[in-house]
Amino acid sequence: NIIHKVLEILYGNYIGGLPNFQEMRNNMDAVLKDVIQENMKNRWIKTGINKMNIQIIETLLSKYLALDEAFIKKQLEKGSTFEIVKIEEVLSRDFNFDIQGERINVKLRGYADRIDKVNDHLRIIDYKTGKVDKLNNVEIEKVFTDGSWSKALQLLMYQAMYDNFKNSDVEVGIVGFRDLSKYVQSLRL
């Protein structure tokens, strides 16, 4: 929750444009401190496991900002445009199904941590602090029956909620903070 909130605040200042990574790095400690105080109100955070967790969070945030900065810089050097479109965007869509002659309305709802755009290519990104796997060679049948494919299912639902699979130029992916070297792991069917 702390990582999500810090990134929401840092990137939220750049909706509609390019992030200023130097400014974000300069503000990160203050934002992190505020978010920690808000989330850990009466807990001791200066020693023990909490202090260690905060140091890990600082390291992860710094690494992620560096990776994101390198990605965006590379896109700009290629002549591409880049824009932060939305942060913490609510995605929802109603789906209607006929099941045994009965009309059933199902509403899906989720939160995209970030939506950005490289040229006209949209990326819907979710942040995960847990393990991320099973996003390549996704077997659609298993996504709906095997819980180990839950992250692939979540990304499919994000794409369905965003545009009902009408736009092939929407990428859905996860940034897994346990393995940042993979940066954005995109869903591959």
Side-chain angles (χ1 to χ4, degrees), residues 58-79:
E58 288 172 341
T59 300
L60 292 172
L61 287 168
S62 293
K63 285 183 180 181
Y64 177 67
L65 290 178
L67 285 169
D68 210 29
E69 182 177 29
F71 170 80
I72 294 170
K73 182 179 179 186
K74 184 177 179 183
Q75 297 308 309
L76 296 175
E77 286 171 352
K78 294 188 320 188

Side-chain angles (χ1 to χ4, degrees), residues 31-64:
V31 170
L32 180 58
K33 181 180 177 185
D34 289 346
V35 170
I36 288 169
Q37 286 178 342
E38 182 179 314
N39 284 280
M40 301 180 73
K41 291 181 171 81
N42 294 319
R43 291 188 235 159
W44 192 250
I45 59 172
K46 297 185 184 200
T47 62
I49 191 77
N50 288 335
K51 181 177 181 176
M52 185 177 71
N53 285 336
I54 291 166
Q55 290 171 338
I56 291 169
I57 289 169
E58 288 172 341
T59 300
L60 292 172
L61 287 168
S62 293
K63 285 183 180 181
Y64 177 67

